[in-house]
Amino acid sequence: MTTWMWLFIIAVIAQRLVELNIARRNERWMKDRGGIEKGEKHYKWFIWLHSIFFLSMIFEAVLNQSNIGINYLLITIFLLTQLGRIWCIHTLGKFWNTKVIVLPGVSLIKKGPYKYVKHPNYIIVAIELFVIPFLVGAYLTAFVFPLLHVLLLKIRIPREEKALTKATL
């Protein structure tokens, strides 16, 4: 793998760690105000999926001796997803989290990207799980992990919808 690939992967991992820190802070804020966590059982599978994703991508890129140049189309798509991610986090503010935590009686946020799509962050993550490994030549990872992500979303989204619906009644 080239230096730019290592730097790119490290930057993405660092970004994810910052986001987890934001999520933990928001989790404390919500729970201090009566927030209720739902879907704890499946959350661990998201942690596993994303951890193994990075390991798989690095392993595959090293094994393939990936030495590809920067694909500007894919970098542009990646950067656009980051703008979308920032938009989601900014729109939800203290309510943004990687877990399903609801505050009973609080209305759903229907502005920003949520005005157009119910779960924009999940779309962004699916795109990233495809684009990021493609950028570093980890093509198998680019196909396997978006599919696994979709399978987990088939569990998470119904649970999240149920929790949000109950909380806003």
Side-chain angles (χ1 to χ4, degrees):
M1 271 190 351
T2 62
T3 302
W4 82 263
M5 290 177 183
W6 281 110
L7 292 173
F8 175 69
I9 291 171
I10 290 167
V12 173
I13 291 170
Q15 177 192 19
R16 295 304 183 266
L17 293 173
V18 168
E19 289 171 3
L20 286 173
N21 189 41
I22 293 168
R24 277 191 213 107
R25 191 171 55 237
N26 290 346
E27 176 183 3
R28 281 191 302 273
W29 182 85
M30 289 180 73
K31 286 184 174 178
D32 286 348
R33 285 154 183 76
I36 301 165
E37 185 175 350
K38 300 287 183 178
E40 301 92 338
K41 291 179 184 174
H42 73 268
Y43 182 73
K44 66 181 172 223
W45 295 109
F46 279 97
I47 300 299
W48 277 103
L49 177 85
H50 287 271
S51 299
I52 295 169
F53 164 77
F54 284 104
L55 294 173
S56 173
M57 179 175 52
I58 292 167
F59 178 76
E60 185 180 354
V62 168
L63 188 67
N64 292 342
Q65 297 179 345
S66 293
N67 192 15
I68 56 178
I70 298 173
N71 181 317
Y72 291 102
L73 174 63
L74 292 177
I75 283 289
T76 301
I77 293 169
F78 173 77
L79 292 173
L80 289 172
T81 61
Q82 299 322 291
L83 290 175
R85 175 187 301 286
I86 292 165
W87 193 19
C88 289
I89 293 170
H90 176 72
T91 299
L92 292 179
K94 296 271 189 188
F95 296 100
W96 181 83
N97 211 295
T98 57
K99 297 180 178 179
V100 179
I101 302 173
V102 294
L103 273 174
V106 175
S107 299
L108 286 177
I109 294 173
K110 294 184 180 180
K111 61 182 181 177
Y114 299 90
K115 180 178 177 181
Y116 308 103
V117 182
K118 269 190 163 182
H119 302 283
N121 200 63
Y122 297 149
I123 296 167
I124 291 165
V125 171
I127 293 168
E128 288 176 332
L129 290 174
F130 182 75
V131 169
I132 293 169
F134 245 95
L135 279 163
V136 298
Y139 306 114
L140 183 60
T141 301
F143 285 103
V144 169
F145 283 85
L147 293 174
L148 294 173
H149 178 71
V150 167
L151 290 174
L152 276 176
L153 289 178
K154 287 183 174 252
I155 296 167
R156 181 177 183 123
I157 289 175
R159 286 185 171 88
E160 186 171 340
E161 288 291 322
K162 183 179 177 182
L164 290 171
T165 301
K166 281 185 177 181
T168 58
L169 295 177

